Amino acid sequence: MIYNAKDCDFSEYTDRVRALNSSENKKVYIFTFGCQQNEADSEKILGMANAMGYDKTDDPDEADMIILNTCAIRQHAEEKALSMLGRFKSLKRKNNSLIVGVCGCMAAEEHIKNMLKTDFHYVTFTLEPNMLHRIPELVYKSLVEGKRSFVIGEDRGDVVEGMPMTRRFGHKAWVSIMYGCNNFCSYCIVPYVRGRERSRSVNDILNECKALVEDGVKEITLLGQNVNSYRGECDFASLLERIAAIEGDFIIRFMTSHPKDVSDGLIDVMSRYSPKIAPYFHLPLQSGSDRILKAMNRTYNRERFLSIVDKLRAKIPDICLSTDVIVGFPSETEEDFRDTLDILDKAKFDMVYAFKYSPREGTPAAKMSEQISMDIKEERIARLLKMQDAISYSNNEKYVGSVMTVLVDSLSKRKDKNTVNARTYGNKLVHFEGDESMIGKYMQVKIDRAGIYELYADKNNND
Ligand code: SAH
Ligand code: SF4
Ligand code: F3S
């Protein structure tokens, strides 16, 4: 069901908390782990906090409310969140009225919820990601009744529109178009913590995109666990086309796509609207072995995957491609692993995000025999990255000497010079000398040097 937050008791609780906070200068600290979906959710969390009378702070020490937006995708992500949470215990001792909330995918895991409830007494509430609109209610109950709440597993089929949102950037924006996942890849926790697929309506998405473009946003990234499985009143290809038809000086990106739903229609729309629909595709491979793909429940094989890559390259010649790979899935042999290297060698991705398989409680793969040792995972990932670095570098070298259009994104962290981070239409990172005034502007730059992960442009050719 799709409904508006304003039609439930969301607004009432927001107003009540704002009234309680009205005479004080309250502050919220939000920290986000995980994927862009979580980043987008955090913009809603901040929007709600602002509506309840909390201003954002980057210093947890001065916060009246701390919210961690967590990720459960791998063990390491969970460990990082728990270690950060541990640091807040002493803050609660100093300020007993401090609200500590745990949102995101970890909060949707029953065993984590129970652990936080019994062992982390300073945690005020946990709330799974499908129910963010209940934050004001939980905050109110904590402030007025001193109640701790641990909310999981209700209303997972709903889409809630109309939540306030405080966006982090002026020139780029995330727009969630669908939530959840139906695929149950055997290694993955996401379907258990994010629920089944549900799509927003075409009009809600179009209206949001139009408003963003009117606000001067230059880059819209459509988000979903599998954006190309979008099933609103139309399919994903038609949705993209309708967004691309919005007048304005902006580009559209999307992530993540599932190979099973890359239709010819989608490739056709991308080619017709390039570069307004950016010539970039993130196409997660996971494994190059047909046997492992089957055990992963990925529903495509090597041949199908490579045929999509070929079609994308044939129809959109300047397209950049990236992928995700898991090494050390249970029972992966040296031969299976070589099949993965072989696809990487054939597909020539611009960027590969490689992960060591991490068993997730409750998923079928975690119970499989023949788990692979950490030593072998580490050895394989190192070999894979070494090979891929050479491919990425050689892809990047081809751009040296060419003039490219980039959108300036941010100041780069290098302290020695004033350098900016910019992105080509194909999502390549480009560094060149510049300053804050360039952020959100398109520029033409001449590439004069390539790295493995980035390109460097000559500052004299920026005009
Ligand atoms: N919906 C997307 C990706 C979601 S998670 C898709 O279908 O591809 C992002 C990436 O994390 C996945 O592509 C996968 O490579 C990795 N991942 C997911 N579960 C994992 C696990 N248990 N261990 C290691 N990596 C994992
Ligand atoms: Fe996880 Fe697979 Fe769904 Fe992606 S498609 S979120 S990897 S279950
Ligand atoms: Fe992590 Fe949840 Fe995203 S598990 S990767 S934050 S959907």
Side-chain angles (χ1 to χ4, degrees), residues 91-148:
L91 295 182
K92 180 79 177 183
R93 237 184 262 132
K94 273 189 259 165
N95 169 13
N96 193 40
S97 62
L98 176 69
I99 293 177
V100 179
V102 178
C103 298
C105 295
M106 278 174 81
E109 292 182 283
E110 199 69 41
H111 69 282
I112 297 279
K113 180 197 87 170
N114 291 338
M115 177 182 82
L116 295 178
K117 190 173 175 180
T118 48
D119 300 343
F120 289 66
H121 289 281
Y122 57 99
V123 169
T124 319
F125 68 82
T126 68
L127 183 66
E128 69 149 90
N130 301 301
M131 276 167 276
L132 287 180
H133 58 285
R134 289 190 57 188
I135 287 181
E137 174 196 337
L138 305 190
V139 171
Y140 178 80
K141 288 182 174 161
S142 162
L143 288 175
V144 172
E145 301 161 20
K147 185 173 179 237
R148 298 173 76 214

Side-chain angles (χ1 to χ4, degrees), residues 35 37 72-75 180-181 183 185-190 224-227 255-259 282-286 296 298 300 323-327 329 353-360 363 365:
C35 63
Q37 247 113 142
I73 202 80
R74 285 169 288 273
Q75 187 67 30
C181 177
N183 295 313
C185 301
S186 60
Y187 50 81
C188 184
I189 192 81
V190 171
Q225 278 311 326
N226 301 286
V227 267
M255 53 184 344
T256 301
S257 303
H258 195 297
H282 181 69
L283 190 65
L285 166 67
Q286 313 303 1
M296 286 177 161
R298 285 295 285 182
Y300 52 85
T323 196
D324 292 345
V325 170
I326 297 177
V327 302
F329 182 83
Y353 301 90
F355 307 103
K356 286 171 271 183
Y357 168 69
S358 169
R360 309 313 299 130
T363 63

